[in-house]
Amino acid sequence: QVQLAESGGGAVQTGESLKLSCEVSTYPTGVNCLGWFRQTPGTDKARVGVATIYVGTADAHPGRDTYVSEFVEDRATISREGAKKNTVYLQIDRLKPEDTGMYYCGLTNLGGTCWGSFNEKYYNTWGQGTQVTVSS
């Protein structure tokens, strides 16, 4: 069974950095991309995509390996590490209060570029989330 586990969130001050981790138990057959999404606290709003990375097994795939949303473009980095590349990190620097929220990682098997599938409606496996709170 595929399981995702996020960690690394916390309460920080404006300008500080956090490195969130998403541990993937195993990548399902046909998986294409992993995405980090943020959900604003206290509401039932949709999850907003922060960054996404290709985690499939094809020798070649369309588009780039990683994409980062415009609202964090020069402050966030997404990467994969580990022998089996089962850990995906999201580092956000120079954090702002508007970065506050619950951060989730998810998987999608929708083909094409990771940017093209970068919407929560295309994701079908999620972790439990990790809370990030940025105070001014």
Side-chain angles (χ1 to χ4, degrees), residues 38-117:
R38 183 187 72 209
Q39 188 171 40
T40 304
T43 66
D44 196 24
K45 291 184 178 178
R47 293 165 176 159
V48 176
V50 181
T52 180
I53 186 168
Y54 178 74
V55 295
T57 58
D59 291 334
H61 64 93
R64 298 177 354 214
D65 286 342
T66 66
Y67 295 91
V68 178
S69 292
E70 287 184 357
F71 60 87
V72 290
E73 191 168 26
D74 62 341
R75 301 187 293 118
T77 304
I78 186 169
S79 62
R80 294 174 71 186
E81 297 181 24
K84 296 183 178 180
K85 305 247 183 231
N86 278 31
T87 303
V88 177
Y89 295 101
L90 174 67
Q91 172 146 354
I92 308 177
D93 300 320
R94 303 189 303 281
L95 281 157
K96 305 176 182 180
E98 51 264 45
D99 293 321
T100 293
M102 185 70 80
Y103 284 72
Y104 298 90
C105 61
L107 294 172
T108 178
N109 55 8
L110 185 65
T113 69
C114 288
W115 185 252
S117 63

Coordinates of all heavy atoms in Angstrom, one line a residue, residues 38-117:
R38 N -0.5 23.5 -0.5 CA -0.8 24.2 0.8 C -2.3 24.4 0.9 O -3.0 24.8 -0.1 CB -0.1 25.5 0.8 CG -0.2 26.3 2.1 CD 0.4 27.7 2.0 NE -0.4 28.6 1.1 CZ 0.2 29.5 0.4 NH1 1.5 29.7 0.4 NH2 -0.6 30.3 -0.3
Q39 N -2.8 24.2 2.1 CA -4.2 24.5 2.4 C -4.3 25.6 3.5 O -3.7 25.4 4.5 CB -5.0 23.3 2.8 CG -6.5 23.5 2.9 CD -7.2 22.1 3.1 OE1 -6.7 21.3 3.9 NE2 -8.3 22.0 2.5
T40 N -5.0 26.6 3.2 CA -5.1 27.7 4.2 C -5.8 27.2 5.4 O -6.9 26.5 5.3 CB -5.9 28.9 3.6 OG1 -5.2 29.3 2.4 CG2 -6.0 30.1 4.5
P41 N -5.4 27.6 6.6 CA -6.0 27.1 7.8 C -7.4 27.7 8.1 O -7.7 28.8 7.6 CB -5.0 27.5 8.9 CG -4.3 28.7 8.3 CD -4.2 28.4 6.9
G42 N -8.2 26.9 8.8 CA -9.5 27.4 9.2 C -10.6 27.4 8.1 O -11.6 27.9 8.4
T43 N -10.3 26.9 7.0 CA -11.3 27.0 5.9 C -11.3 25.6 5.2 O -10.5 24.8 5.4 CB -11.0 28.1 4.9 OG1 -9.8 27.7 4.2 CG2 -10.8 29.4 5.5
D44 N -12.2 25.5 4.3 CA -12.3 24.3 3.5 C -11.9 24.6 2.1 O -12.4 24.0 1.1 CB -13.8 23.8 3.5 CG -13.8 22.3 3.0 OD1 -12.8 21.6 3.1 OD2 -14.9 21.9 2.5
K45 N -10.9 25.5 1.9 CA -10.5 25.9 0.6 C -9.7 24.8 -0.1 O -9.2 23.9 0.6 CB -9.6 27.1 0.7 CG -10.3 28.4 1.1 CD -9.4 29.6 1.1 CE -10.1 30.9 1.5 NZ -9.2 32.0 1.5
A46 N -9.6 24.9 -1.4 CA -8.8 23.9 -2.1 C -7.4 24.0 -1.8 O -6.9 25.1 -1.4 CB -9.1 24.1 -3.6
R47 N -6.7 22.9 -2.0 CA -5.2 22.9 -1.8 C -4.6 23.6 -3.0 O -4.9 23.3 -4.2 CB -4.7 21.5 -1.7 CG -5.2 20.8 -0.5 CD -4.9 19.3 -0.6 NE -5.3 18.7 0.7 CZ -5.6 17.4 0.8 NH1 -5.6 16.6 -0.3 NH2 -5.9 16.8 1.9
V48 N -3.6 24.5 -2.8 CA -3.0 25.3 -3.8 C -1.6 24.7 -4.0 O -0.8 24.4 -3.1 CB -2.8 26.7 -3.4 CG1 -2.0 27.5 -4.4 CG2 -4.2 27.4 -3.2
G49 N -1.2 24.4 -5.3 CA 0.0 23.8 -5.6 C 1.2 24.7 -5.3 O 1.2 25.9 -5.6
V50 N 2.2 24.2 -4.7 CA 3.4 25.0 -4.4 C 4.6 24.6 -5.3 O 5.2 25.4 -5.9 CB 3.9 24.8 -2.9 CG1 5.1 25.6 -2.6 CG2 2.7 25.1 -1.9
A51 N 4.8 23.3 -5.4 CA 5.9 22.8 -6.3 C 5.6 21.3 -6.6 O 5.0 20.6 -5.9 CB 7.3 22.9 -5.6
T52 N 6.2 20.9 -7.8 CA 6.0 19.5 -8.2 C 7.2 19.0 -8.9 O 8.1 19.8 -9.4 CB 4.8 19.5 -9.2 OG1 4.6 18.1 -9.6 CG2 5.0 20.3 -10.4
I53 N 7.4 17.7 -8.8 CA 8.6 17.1 -9.3 C 8.2 15.7 -10.0 O 7.4 15.0 -9.6 CB 9.6 16.8 -8.2 CG1 11.0 16.3 -8.7 CG2 9.1 15.9 -7.1 CD1 12.1 16.3 -7.7
Y54 N 9.0 15.4 -11.1 CA 8.7 14.2 -11.8 C 9.3 13.0 -11.0 O 10.5 13.1 -10.6 CB 9.4 14.2 -13.2 CG 9.2 12.9 -14.0 CD1 8.0 12.6 -14.5 CD2 10.3 12.0 -14.1 CE1 7.8 11.4 -15.2 CE2 10.1 10.9 -14.8 CZ 8.9 10.5 -15.4 OH 8.7 9.4 -16.1
V55 N 8.5 12.0 -10.7 CA 9.0 10.8 -10.0 C 8.7 9.5 -10.7 O 8.8 8.4 -10.2 CB 8.3 10.7 -8.6 CG1 8.7 11.9 -7.7 CG2 6.8 10.6 -8.7
G56 N 8.4 9.6 -12.0 CA 8.1 8.4 -12.8 C 9.4 7.7 -13.2 O 10.5 8.1 -12.8
T57 N 9.3 6.7 -14.0 CA 10.5 5.8 -14.3 C 10.8 5.9 -15.8 O 11.7 5.1 -16.2 CB 10.2 4.4 -13.9 OG1 9.0 3.9 -14.6 CG2 9.9 4.2 -12.4
A58 N 10.2 6.7 -16.6 CA 10.5 6.7 -18.0 C 11.9 7.4 -18.2 O 12.3 8.2 -17.4 CB 9.4 7.5 -18.7
D59 N 12.6 6.9 -19.2 CA 13.9 7.4 -19.5 C 13.7 8.9 -20.0 O 14.6 9.7 -19.8 CB 14.6 6.6 -20.6 CG 15.0 5.2 -20.1 OD1 15.2 5.1 -18.9 OD2 15.0 4.3 -20.9
A60 N 12.6 9.2 -20.6 CA 12.4 10.5 -21.1 C 10.9 10.9 -20.8 O 10.0 10.0 -20.9 CB 12.6 10.6 -22.6
H61 N 10.7 12.1 -20.4 CA 9.3 12.5 -20.1 C 9.2 14.0 -20.6 O 10.2 14.7 -20.7 CB 9.0 12.4 -18.6 CG 9.9 13.3 -17.8 ND1 9.5 14.6 -17.4 CD2 11.1 13.1 -17.2 CE1 10.5 15.2 -16.7 NE2 11.4 14.3 -16.6
P62 N 7.9 14.4 -20.9 CA 7.7 15.7 -21.4 C 8.0 16.8 -20.3 O 7.7 16.5 -19.1 CB 6.3 15.7 -21.9 CG 5.6 14.7 -21.1 CD 6.7 13.6 -20.8
G63 N 8.4 17.9 -20.7 CA 8.6 19.1 -19.8 C 9.8 18.9 -18.9 O 10.7 18.1 -19.1
R64 N 9.8 19.8 -17.9 CA 11.0 19.8 -17.0 C 10.8 18.8 -15.8 O 9.7 18.3 -15.6 CB 11.1 21.2 -16.4 CG 11.4 22.2 -17.5 CD 11.5 23.7 -17.0 NE 11.2 24.0 -15.7 CZ 10.6 25.1 -15.3 NH1 10.2 26.0 -16.2 NH2 10.3 25.3 -14.0
D65 N 11.8 18.6 -15.1 CA 11.8 17.7 -13.9 C 11.0 18.3 -12.8 O 10.3 17.7 -12.0 CB 13.1 17.3 -13.4 CG 13.8 16.3 -14.4 OD1 13.1 15.7 -15.2 OD2 15.0 16.1 -14.3
T66 N 11.1 19.6 -12.6 CA 10.5 20.3 -11.5 C 9.8 21.6 -11.9 O 10.3 22.2 -12.9 CB 11.5 20.7 -10.4 OG1 12.5 21.6 -10.9 CG2 12.3 19.5 -9.9
Y67 N 8.8 22.0 -11.2 CA 8.1 23.3 -11.4 C 7.8 23.9 -10.0 O 7.5 23.1 -9.1 CB 6.8 23.1 -12.2 CG 7.0 22.6 -13.6 CD1 7.0 21.3 -13.9 CD2 7.1 23.5 -14.6 CE1 7.1 20.8 -15.2 CE2 7.3 23.1 -15.9 CZ 7.3 21.8 -16.2 OH 7.4 21.3 -17.5
V68 N 7.9 25.2 -9.9 CA 7.6 25.9 -8.7 C 6.6 27.0 -9.0 O 6.8 27.7 -10.0 CB 8.9 26.5 -8.0 CG1 8.5 27.2 -6.8 CG2 9.9 25.4 -7.7
S69 N 5.6 27.1 -8.2 CA 4.5 28.1 -8.4 C 5.1 29.5 -8.3 O 6.1 29.8 -7.6 CB 3.4 28.0 -7.4 OG 2.7 26.8 -7.7
E70 N 4.5 30.5 -9.0 CA 5.0 31.8 -9.1 C 5.1 32.5 -7.7 O 6.0 33.3 -7.4 CB 4.1 32.7 -10.0 CG 4.2 32.4 -11.4 CD 3.4 33.3 -12.3 OE1 2.7 34.1 -11.7 OE2 3.5 33.2 -13.5
F71 N 4.1 32.2 -6.8 CA 4.1 32.9 -5.5 C 5.3 32.5 -4.6 O 5.5 33.1 -3.6 CB 2.8 32.8 -4.8 CG 2.4 31.4 -4.5 CD1 2.7 30.8 -3.3 CD2 1.6 30.7 -5.4 CE1 2.3 29.5 -3.0 CE2 1.2 29.4 -5.1 CZ 1.6 28.8 -3.9
V72 N 6.0 31.4 -4.9 CA 7.2 31.1 -4.1 C 8.4 30.9 -5.0 O 9.4 30.3 -4.6 CB 7.0 29.8 -3.3 CG1 6.0 30.0 -2.2 CG2 6.5 28.6 -4.2
E73 N 8.3 31.3 -6.3 CA 9.3 30.9 -7.3 C 10.8 31.1 -6.9 O 11.6 30.2 -7.1 CB 9.0 31.7 -8.6 CG 9.8 31.1 -9.8 CD 9.3 31.7 -11.1 OE1 8.7 32.8 -11.0 OE2 9.4 31.1 -12.1
D74 N 11.1 32.2 -6.3 CA 12.5 32.5 -6.0 C 12.8 32.1 -4.5 O 13.9 32.4 -4.0 CB 12.8 34.0 -6.3 CG 12.0 34.9 -5.4 OD1 11.0 34.5 -4.9 OD2 12.4 36.1 -5.2
R75 N 11.9 31.5 -3.9 CA 12.1 31.1 -2.4 C 12.0 29.6 -2.2 O 12.3 29.2 -1.0 CB 11.0 31.9 -1.6 CG 11.1 33.4 -1.7 CD 10.1 34.0 -0.7 NE 8.7 33.7 -1.0 CZ 7.9 33.1 -0.1 NH1 8.4 32.6 1.0 NH2 6.7 32.9 -0.4
A76 N 11.5 28.8 -3.1 CA 11.3 27.4 -2.9 C 12.1 26.5 -3.8 O 12.3 26.9 -5.0 CB 9.8 27.1 -3.0
T77 N 12.5 25.4 -3.3 CA 13.2 24.4 -4.0 C 12.6 23.0 -3.7 O 12.4 22.7 -2.5 CB 14.7 24.4 -3.7 OG1 15.3 25.7 -3.9 CG2 15.5 23.4 -4.6
I78 N 12.4 22.2 -4.7 CA 11.9 20.9 -4.6 C 12.9 19.9 -5.1 O 13.6 20.1 -6.1 CB 10.5 20.6 -5.3 CG1 9.9 19.3 -4.9 CG2 10.6 20.8 -6.8 CD1 8.5 19.1 -5.4
S79 N 13.2 18.8 -4.3 CA 14.2 17.9 -4.7 C 13.9 16.5 -4.2 O 13.1 16.3 -3.2 CB 15.6 18.4 -4.1 OG 15.5 18.4 -2.7
R80 N 14.6 15.5 -4.8 CA 14.5 14.1 -4.3 C 15.8 13.6 -3.8 O 16.9 13.9 -4.5 CB 14.0 13.2 -5.5 CG 12.7 13.4 -6.0 CD 12.4 12.6 -7.2 NE 12.3 11.2 -6.9 CZ 12.2 10.2 -7.8 NH1 12.3 10.5 -9.1 NH2 12.1 9.0 -7.4
E81 N 15.9 12.9 -2.7 CA 17.1 12.4 -2.2 C 16.9 11.0 -1.7 O 15.8 10.5 -1.5 CB 17.6 13.3 -1.1 CG 17.9 14.7 -1.6 CD 18.5 15.6 -0.5 OE1 19.0 15.1 0.5 OE2 18.3 16.9 -0.6
G82 N 18.1 10.3 -1.4 CA 18.0 9.0 -0.9 C 18.3 8.0 -2.0 O 18.1 8.3 -3.2
A83 N 18.7 6.8 -1.6 CA 19.1 5.8 -2.6 C 18.0 5.4 -3.5 O 18.1 5.2 -4.7 CB 19.7 4.5 -1.9
K84 N 16.8 5.3 -3.0 CA 15.6 5.0 -3.8 C 14.8 6.2 -4.1 O 13.7 6.1 -4.7 CB 14.7 4.0 -3.0 CG 15.4 2.7 -2.7 CD 14.4 1.7 -2.0 CE 15.1 0.4 -1.8 NZ 14.1 -0.6 -1.1
K85 N 15.4 7.4 -3.8 CA 14.7 8.6 -4.2 C 13.3 8.7 -3.6 O 12.4 9.2 -4.2 CB 14.6 8.9 -5.7 CG 16.0 8.8 -6.3 CD 16.3 10.1 -6.9 CE 17.7 10.1 -7.6 NZ 18.6 11.1 -7.1
N86 N 13.1 8.1 -2.4 CA 11.8 8.0 -1.8 C 11.5 9.2 -0.9 O 10.4 9.2 -0.3 CB 11.7 6.7 -1.0 CG 11.3 5.5 -1.8 OD1 11.7 5.5 -3.0 ND2 10.6 4.6 -1.3
T87 N 12.4 10.1 -0.7 CA 12.2 11.3 0.1 C 12.2 12.5 -0.8 O 13.2 12.7 -1.5 CB 13.2 11.4 1.2 OG1 13.2 10.2 2.0 CG2 12.9 12.6 2.1
V88 N 11.1 13.3 -0.8 CA 11.0 14.5 -1.6 C 11.0 15.7 -0.6 O 10.2 15.7 0.3 CB 9.8 14.5 -2.5 CG1 9.7 15.8 -3.2 CG2 9.9 13.3 -3.5
Y89 N 11.9 16.6 -0.8 CA 12.0 17.8 0.1 C 11.4 19.0 -0.6 O 11.5 19.2 -1.8 CB 13.4 18.0 0.4 CG 14.1 16.9 1.2 CD1 14.9 16.0 0.6 CD2 13.8 16.8 2.6 CE1 15.5 15.0 1.3 CE2 14.4 15.8 3.3 CZ 15.3 14.9 2.7 OH 15.9 13.9 3.4
L90 N 10.8 19.9 0.2 CA 10.4 21.2 -0.2 C 11.0 22.2 0.8 O 10.7 22.2 1.9 CB 8.9 21.3 -0.2 CG 8.4 22.8 -0.5 CD1 8.7 23.1 -1.9 CD2 6.9 22.9 -0.2
Q91 N 12.0 22.9 0.3 CA 12.6 24.0 1.1 C 12.0 25.3 0.7 O 12.0 25.7 -0.5 CB 14.1 24.0 1.0 CG 14.8 25.2 1.7 CD 16.1 24.9 2.3 OE1 16.6 23.7 2.3 NE2 16.7 25.9 2.8
I92 N 11.6 26.1 1.7 CA 11.1 27.4 1.5 C 11.9 28.4 2.3 O 12.0 28.2 3.5 CB 9.6 27.6 1.8 CG1 8.7 26.5 1.1 CG2 9.1 28.9 1.4 CD1 7.3 26.5 1.5
D93 N 12.5 29.3 1.7 CA 13.3 30.3 2.3 C 12.5 31.6 2.5 O 11.5 31.8 1.8 CB 14.6 30.6 1.6 CG 15.5 29.3 1.4 OD1 15.5 28.6 2.4 OD2 16.0 29.1 0.3
R94 N 13.0 32.5 3.3 CA 12.4 33.9 3.5 C 10.9 33.7 3.6 O 10.1 34.4 2.9 CB 12.8 34.8 2.3 CG 14.3 34.9 2.1 CD 14.6 35.9 1.1 NE 14.1 35.7 -0.2 CZ 14.5 34.9 -1.1 NH1 15.5 34.1 -0.9 NH2 13.9 34.8 -2.3
L95 N 10.5 32.9 4.6 CA 9.1 32.6 4.8 C 8.3 33.9 5.2 O 8.8 34.8 5.8 CB 8.9 31.6 5.9 CG 9.2 30.1 5.4 CD1 9.5 29.2 6.6 CD2 7.9 29.6 4.7
K96 N 7.1 33.9 4.7 CA 6.2 35.1 5.0 C 4.9 34.6 5.7 O 4.6 33.4 5.6 CB 5.7 35.7 3.6 CG 6.9 36.1 2.7 CD 6.3 36.6 1.4 CE 7.4 37.0 0.4 NZ 6.9 37.4 -0.9
P97 N 4.2 35.4 6.4 CA 3.0 35.0 7.0 C 2.0 34.3 6.1 O 1.3 33.4 6.5 CB 2.4 36.3 7.6 CG 3.6 37.1 7.9 CD 4.6 36.8 6.7
E98 N 1.9 34.8 4.8 CA 1.0 34.2 3.9 C 1.4 32.8 3.4 O 0.6 32.1 2.8 CB 0.8 35.1 2.6 CG 2.1 35.5 2.0 CD 2.6 36.9 2.5 OE1 2.5 37.2 3.7 OE2 3.0 37.7 1.6
D99 N 2.6 32.3 3.9 CA 3.0 30.9 3.6 C 2.3 30.0 4.6 O 2.4 28.7 4.5 CB 4.5 30.8 3.7 CG 5.2 31.5 2.5 OD1 4.7 31.5 1.4 OD2 6.3 32.1 2.8
T100 N 1.7 30.5 5.6 CA 1.1 29.7 6.7 C 0.0 28.8 6.1 O -0.8 29.2 5.3 CB 0.4 30.6 7.8 OG1 1.5 31.3 8.4 CG2 -0.4 29.8 8.8
G101 N 0.0 27.5 6.6 CA -1.0 26.6 6.1 C -0.6 25.2 6.4 O 0.5 24.9 6.9
M102 N -1.4 24.2 6.1 CA -1.1 22.8 6.2 C -0.5 22.4 4.8 O -1.2 22.7 3.8 CB -2.4 22.0 6.5 CG -2.1 20.5 6.7 SD -1.2 20.2 8.2 CE -2.5 20.3 9.4
Y103 N 0.7 21.8 4.8 CA 1.3 21.4 3.6 C 1.2 19.9 3.4 O 1.5 19.1 4.3 CB 2.8 21.8 3.7 CG 3.0 23.3 3.4 CD1 2.7 24.2 4.4 CD2 3.5 23.7 2.2 CE1 2.8 25.6 4.1 CE2 3.7 25.1 1.9 CZ 3.4 26.0 2.9 OH 3.5 27.3 2.7
Y104 N 0.7 19.5 2.2 CA 0.5 18.1 1.9 C 1.3 17.7 0.7 O 1.5 18.6 -0.2 CB -1.0 17.9 1.5 CG -2.0 18.1 2.6 CD1 -2.6 19.4 2.8 CD2 -2.4 17.1 3.5 CE1 -3.5 19.6 3.8 CE2 -3.3 17.3 4.4 CZ -3.9 18.6 4.6 OH -4.8 18.8 5.6
C105 N 1.8 16.5 0.7 CA 2.3 16.0 -0.6 C 1.4 14.9 -1.1 O 0.7 14.3 -0.4 CB 3.7 15.4 -0.4 SG 3.9 14.0 0.8
G106 N 1.4 14.8 -2.4 CA 0.5 13.9 -3.1 C 1.1 13.4 -4.4 O 2.1 13.9 -4.9
L107 N 0.5 12.3 -4.9 CA 1.0 11.6 -6.1 C -0.1 11.7 -7.2 O -1.3 11.5 -6.9 CB 1.4 10.2 -5.8 CG 2.6 9.9 -4.9 CD1 2.7 8.4 -4.6 CD2 3.8 10.4 -5.5
T108 N 0.3 11.8 -8.4 CA -0.6 11.7 -9.6 C 0.0 10.8 -10.6 O 1.2 10.7 -10.8 CB -0.9 13.0 -10.2 OG1 -1.8 12.9 -11.3 CG2 0.4 13.7 -10.7
N109 N -0.9 10.0 -11.3 CA -0.4 9.2 -12.4 C -0.9 9.7 -13.7 O -0.8 9.1 -14.8 CB -0.9 7.7 -12.2 CG -2.4 7.6 -12.0 OD1 -3.1 8.6 -12.2 ND2 -2.8 6.4 -11.7
L110 N -1.4 11.0 -13.7 CA -1.8 11.6 -14.9 C -0.6 11.9 -15.8 O 0.4 12.5 -15.3 CB -2.6 12.9 -14.7 CG -3.2 13.6 -15.9 CD1 -4.3 12.7 -16.5 CD2 -3.7 15.0 -15.5
G111 N -0.6 11.5 -17.0 CA 0.5 11.7 -17.9 C 0.7 13.1 -18.4 O 0.0 14.0 -18.0
G112 N 1.8 13.4 -19.2 CA 2.1 14.7 -19.6 C 3.0 15.4 -18.7 O 3.7 14.7 -17.9
T113 N 3.2 16.7 -18.8 CA 4.1 17.4 -17.9 C 3.6 17.5 -16.5 O 2.4 17.5 -16.3 CB 4.4 18.8 -18.5 OG1 3.2 19.6 -18.3 CG2 4.8 18.8 -19.9
C114 N 4.5 17.6 -15.6 CA 4.0 17.8 -14.2 C 3.3 19.1 -14.0 O 2.4 19.2 -13.1 CB 5.3 17.7 -13.2 SG 6.0 16.1 -13.1
W115 N 3.6 20.1 -14.8 CA 2.9 21.4 -14.7 C 1.5 21.2 -15.1 O 0.5 21.8 -14.6 CB 3.6 22.5 -15.5 CG 3.0 23.8 -15.3 CD1 2.2 24.5 -16.2 CD2 3.0 24.6 -14.1 NE1 1.8 25.7 -15.7 CE2 2.3 25.8 -14.4 CE3 3.6 24.4 -12.8 CZ2 2.1 26.8 -13.5 CZ3 3.4 25.4 -11.9 CH2 2.7 26.6 -12.2
G116 N 1.3 20.4 -16.2 CA -0.1 20.2 -16.7 C -1.0 19.5 -15.8 O -2.2 19.7 -15.8
S117 N -0.5 18.7 -14.9 CA -1.3 17.9 -13.9 C -1.2 18.6 -12.5 O -1.7 17.9 -11.6 CB -0.8 16.5 -13.8 OG 0.5 16.4 -13.3

